[in-house]
């Protein structure tokens, strides 16, 4: 395969490991842990893997030679920059322990385990993928591993290949499944450890002990570059309002980080919309008022950042979607109905208030809310054109203002959606190092003999040699939530907190960004050059650390 000059140069980058992982390690146990909520239920559901201690790895002065181990690895869910480096780190880790160790990749996500679709990852293959973006080394998928039959079927191939540890690289849902699988294999004495790795560009798999998920850093840098480029064009031409939707199915971390990096005129944060109990009209008025104010100063241009998940956070929409989820989960023949029958069925079956909201939506958006959920039961918000919905409603509101005499500007809107552009980008130095460390660290968790743990690398605002490596019991991050119409144990999603350091920084400045034009142009990710350009972590991480 032909390679670009950057790919060739980048292949020889050697990711930096935390100093504790640069030689044999010993696992130091912390105190026993508890789940973040619903402790009795989680403890009952995970009798074998609940309450385990946190682990930290330190250099081992008296190492023993490691035995060879066969390990399986799965990439699960949406792509995130750095996934290949997790696998490279894992490969190098198990080979460092014993060169006869072997790594098998299950193909196209968790489905590969169930369908016995796999490839042995040899040094030749691994070397082709060092420091590259994408998940194409083994592919990814969204099959949900949740049934005993799937676990048993997977165990057959694990036994056949003599695999005694499985690493699942995924987001909150996939790591939830990893915890359930770990518990099951432990309960039947299967002799297979299960280790998770925190992946998602959305940045919503984080907590006190997992500082960030990998991929967030690179993806937000790519989007910020693009937003900066648009802002420079916008400031040059001075004639368009750009409505830019940004990925992040649920939490608004991506939009917030990009706002901090680029200083747009407007950025909507879904979590604030929910907390302030804002209606769709409130959001429209907020945007239209800023557009009108800028127009009164002769500024008929600007940028609006919109988080992909906004629609689900508008309280009336949230209640509608929750009822729809239950309704659809209990209506197996829904997919067989015609579009017209579906609409009538939904309107008649919903409660009065939700039925009214549903009927008031543009037909395309309403229909999207009833289409197939992803395997984890989520509405596929990336398919809803919120950026167009908002700009059309803003245009209507501005015409009302014009009629009232409070607006006399020009409003010409352009639309963008940034998501897929960033998910497979070549990992930033931060993600290249972080991912390699997460994978290498997973090999140490395997060596330590534990199961149901997530690979954890902390102290991330410091240079990578000072990072702290260890493991966190996944049950520690869990609570009970309603999914598919039933209560399920899941990893608690980290939403933007309105008293958090990143949001506070944004809120302090946004009124000034709205009226004055204070755009920042971050430019493309740099891989070679001064550390202050190449090795910076995300602003979210920086502000969150500074506040500790
Ligand atoms: P993960 O949570 O699996 O990392 O995926 C996140 C995401 O990139 C969201 O931002 C987006 O809504 C979704 O995946 C898109 O899914 P798909 O790749 O299936 O189109």
């Amino acid at each position: 395969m032909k390679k670009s000059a950057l790919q060739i140069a980048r292949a020889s980058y050697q990711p930096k490991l935390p100093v504790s992982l640069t030689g044999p390690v010993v696992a130091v146990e912390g105190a026993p842990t508890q789940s973040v909520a619903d402790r009795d239920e989680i403890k009952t559901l995970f009798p074998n893997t609940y309450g385990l201690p946190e682990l930290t790895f330190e250099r081992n002065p008296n190492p023993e030679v490691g035995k060879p181990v066969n390990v399986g690895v799965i990439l699960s869910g949406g792509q995130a920059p750095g996934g290949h480096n997790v696998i490279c780190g894992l490969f190098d880790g198990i080979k460092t322990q014993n060169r006869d160790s072997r790594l098998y990749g299950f193909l196209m996500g968790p489905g590969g385990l169930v369908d016995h679709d796999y490839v042995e990852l040899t040094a030749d293959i691994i070397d082709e993928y060092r420091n590259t973006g994408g998940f194409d080394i083994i592919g990814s998928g969204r099959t949900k591993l949740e049934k005993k039959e799937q676990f048993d079927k997977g165990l057959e191939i694990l036994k056949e290949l003599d695999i005694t540890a499985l690493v699942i690289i995924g987001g909150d849902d996939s790591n939830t499944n990893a915890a359930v699988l770990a518990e099951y294999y432990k309960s039947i004495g299967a002799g297979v450890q299960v280790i998770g790795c925190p992946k998602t560009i959305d940045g919503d798999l984080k907590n006190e002990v997992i500082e960030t998920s990998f991929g967030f850093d690179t993806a937000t840098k790519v989007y910020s570059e693009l937003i900066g480029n648009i802002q420079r064009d916008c400031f040059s031409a001075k004639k368009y309002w750009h409505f830019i939707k940004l990925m992040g199915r649920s939490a608004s971390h991506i939009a917030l980080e990009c706002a901090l990096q680029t200083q747009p005129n407007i950025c909507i944060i879904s979590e604030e919309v929910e907390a302030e109990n804002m209606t769709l009209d409130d959001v429209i008025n907020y945007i239209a008022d800023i557009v009108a104010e800028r127009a009164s100063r002769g500024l008929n241009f600007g940028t609006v950042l919109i988080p992909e998940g906004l629609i689900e956070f508008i309280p009336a929409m949230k209640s509608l979607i929750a009822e729809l989820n239950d309704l659809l989960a209990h209506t197996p023949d829904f997919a067989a109905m015609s579009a017209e029958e579906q609409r009538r069925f939904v309107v008649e079956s919903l409660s009065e208030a939700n039925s009214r909201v549903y009927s008031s939506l543009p037909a395309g958006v309403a229909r999207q809310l009833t289409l197939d959920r992803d395997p984890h039961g989520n509405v596929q918000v990336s398919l809803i054109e919120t950026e167009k919905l908002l700009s059309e409603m803003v245009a209507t509101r501005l015409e009302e203002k014009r009629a009232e005499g409070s607006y006399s500007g020009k409003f010409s809107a352009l639309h963008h959606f940034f998501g897929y552009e960033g998910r497979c980008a070549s990992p930033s130095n931060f993600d290249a190092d972080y991912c390699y460390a997460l994978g290498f660290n997973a090999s140490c968790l395997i060596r330590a003999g534990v199961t149901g743990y997530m690979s954890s690398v902390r102290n991330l605002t410091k240079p990578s040699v000072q990072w702290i490596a260890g493991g966190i019991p996944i049950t520690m991050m869990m609570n009970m939530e309603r999914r598919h119409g039933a209560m399920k144990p899941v990893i608690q999603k980290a939403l933007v907190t309105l008293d958090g350091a990143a949001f506070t920084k944004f809120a302090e400045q946004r009124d000034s960004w709205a009226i004055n034009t204070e755009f920042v142009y971050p430019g493309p990710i740099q891989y070679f050059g001064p550390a202050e350009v190449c090795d910076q972590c995300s602003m979210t991480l920086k502000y969150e650390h500074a506040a500790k």
Side-chain angles (χ1 to χ4, degrees):
M1 209 196 305
K2 190 163 188 272
K3 291 197 177 131
S4 69
L6 179 66
Q7 267 179 299
I8 293 165
R10 193 66 182 152
S12 56
Y13 176 73
Q14 181 52 51
K16 301 181 270 309
L17 277 175
V19 77
S20 61
L21 298 187
T22 53
V25 297
V26 58
V28 180
E29 285 191 7
T33 58
Q34 296 210 309
S35 62
V36 279
D38 308 312
R39 290 178 180 158
D40 292 341
E41 286 102 317
I42 306 285
K43 190 173 178 180
T44 310
L45 291 166
F46 295 87
N48 295 287
T49 49
Y50 186 85
L52 299 169
E54 279 184 36
L55 297 178
T56 308
F57 289 120
E58 290 179 5
R59 292 293 289 272
N60 188 349
N62 306 307
E64 283 169 23
V65 179
K67 293 197 190 81
V69 61
N70 287 0
V71 173
V73 64
I74 296 175
L75 289 165
S76 181
Q79 284 70 248
H84 286 162
N85 266 22
V86 179
I87 295 179
C88 296
L90 177 61
F91 179 86
D92 290 351
I94 60 171
K95 288 285 185 188
T96 307
Q97 287 162 19
N98 188 304
R99 53 202 294 261
D100 293 329
S101 294
R102 297 170 87 165
L103 182 62
Y104 294 91
F106 289 98
L107 302 178
M108 300 311 291
L113 176 69
V114 182
D115 300 336
H116 298 188
D117 243 347
Y118 66 90
V119 65
E120 181 173 355
L121 295 167
T122 55
D124 287 353
I125 300 175
I126 291 288
D127 287 346
E128 283 294 302
Y129 289 91
R130 291 186 188 272
N131 309 309
T132 58
F135 275 10
D136 42 301
I137 186 170
I138 49 173
S140 185
R142 290 195 185 276
T143 303
K144 191 169 165 60
L145 278 185
E146 58 177 352
K147 300 198 185 84
K148 180 179 171 310
E149 304 82 75
Q150 293 173 307
F151 300 166
D152 291 338
K153 195 82 205 307
L155 190 55
E156 284 172 18
I157 190 69
L158 296 174
K159 288 287 169 208
E160 194 179 313
L161 298 173
D162 197 20
I163 290 175
T164 53
L166 185 63
V167 175
I168 299 182
I169 302 170
D172 52 342
D173 288 328
S174 309
N175 275 283
T176 293
N177 297 157
V180 175
L181 190 62
E183 174 65 31
Y184 178 70
Y185 283 166
K186 187 93 190 273
S187 74
I188 61 167
V192 178
Q193 302 164 249
V194 183
I195 304 295
C197 268
K199 170 238 67 166
T200 177
I201 61 160
D202 291 3
D204 55 10
L205 173 47
K206 64 174 177 179
N207 46 50
E208 281 300 302
V209 281
I210 301 293
E211 294 180 359
T212 188
S213 54
F214 79 76
F216 176 77
D217 185 83
T218 310
T220 53
K221 282 176 175 149
V222 172
Y223 305 145
S224 297
E225 180 208 349
L226 297 174
I227 296 164
N229 293 351
I230 286 174
Q231 293 192 150
R232 200 124 214 186
D233 190 286
C234 174
F235 194 42
S236 306
K238 298 191 169 60
K239 61 178 181 183
Y240 293 124
W241 271 90
H242 293 268
F243 282 69
I244 305 168
K245 183 175 80 167
L246 291 160
M247 250 190 193
R249 183 178 38 225
S250 201
S252 307
H253 297 293
I254 292 181
L256 179 58
E257 171 67 21
C258 291
L260 291 166
Q261 288 194 33
T262 63
Q263 306 193 172
N265 300 106
I266 298 170
C267 175
I268 307 293
I269 298 296
S270 307
E271 290 83 344
E272 185 181 29
V273 168
E274 182 175 39
E276 301 290 326
N277 216 358
M278 288 169 84
T279 61
L280 190 51
D281 269 355
D282 292 334
V283 176
I284 300 305
N285 284 336
Y286 171 69
I287 300 173
D289 287 350
I290 293 174
V291 172
E293 177 58 34
R294 284 178 64 82
S296 74
R297 297 163 189 241
L299 307 170
N300 287 299
F301 64 90
T303 48
V304 185
L305 305 191
I306 303 151
E308 179 182 66
L310 173 65
I311 217 89
E312 288 193 281
F313 281 78
I314 295 170
M317 296 291 297
K318 189 173 187 164
S319 140
L320 166 63
I321 290 169
E323 197 181 344
L324 271 176
N325 284 347
D326 278 3
L327 181 65
L328 300 183
H330 296 117
T331 314
D333 51 352
F334 185 78
M337 297 179 195
S338 70
E340 208 176 300
E341 285 169 341
Q342 286 183 337
R343 188 171 172 90
R344 202 170 38 242
F345 170 78
V346 169
V347 170
E348 284 167 5
S349 310
L350 289 174
S351 65
E352 206 186 318
N354 284 336
S355 182
R356 209 172 325 115
V357 175
Y358 181 82
S359 306
S360 73
L361 292 172
V365 176
R367 183 160 163 64
Q368 186 57 51
L369 296 181
T370 61
L371 290 183
D372 279 355
R373 275 34 185 167
D374 76 4
H376 298 276
N378 302 303
V379 174
Q380 302 197 43
V381 283
S382 63
L383 303 179
I384 302 177
E385 294 184 312
T386 333
E387 68 284 20
K388 289 195 183 144
L389 175 73
L390 294 193
S391 91
E392 278 164 26
M393 293 178 81
V394 166
T396 308
R397 180 76 194 102
L398 288 171
E399 286 317 306
E400 289 165 8
K401 278 177 174 283
R402 196 187 300 282
E404 290 161 7
S406 59
Y407 172 69
S408 61
K410 281 191 196 133
F411 179 70
S412 183
L414 294 177
H415 307 104
H416 316 266
F417 168 37
F418 298 145
Y420 300 99
E421 293 79 351
R423 296 200 314 182
C424 283
S426 189
S428 61
N429 285 351
F430 174 87
D431 269 330
D433 290 353
Y434 182 41
C435 291
Y436 187 80
L438 283 171
F440 200 97
N441 185 53
S443 79
C444 300
L445 289 167
I446 294 169
R447 175 95 194 264
V450 298
T451 190
Y453 275 74
M454 191 183 288
S455 177
S456 144
V457 175
R458 294 191 256 176
N459 209 24
L460 296 172
T461 54
K462 294 281 179 341
S464 31
V465 288
Q466 293 174 38
W467 291 353
I468 297 165
I472 307 296
I474 301 178
T475 52
M476 185 184 174
M477 305 166 203
M478 295 180 109
N479 68 168
M480 301 296 292
E481 286 178 24
R482 200 170 177 78
R483 296 282 169 96
H484 284 293
M487 292 306 281
K488 293 265 165 69
V490 295
I491 293 179
Q492 199 172 53
K493 219 181 243 312
L495 300 177
V496 169
T497 47
L498 302 184
D499 56 358
F503 182 82
T504 306
K505 274 278 174 205
F506 161 72
E508 279 165 11
Q509 305 174 80
R510 66 176 152 186
D511 290 347
S512 175
W513 298 348
I515 303 308
N516 310 309
T517 306
E518 299 177 24
F519 298 155
V520 173
Y521 315 115
I525 295 176
Q526 300 294 311
Y527 301 96
F528 309 100
E532 67 275 19
V533 180
C534 302
D535 295 343
Q536 295 302 311
C537 65
S538 69
M539 294 178 92
T540 304
L541 201 51
K542 235 179 266 174
Y543 290 140
E544 284 173 352
H545 262 258
K548 274 187 189 164

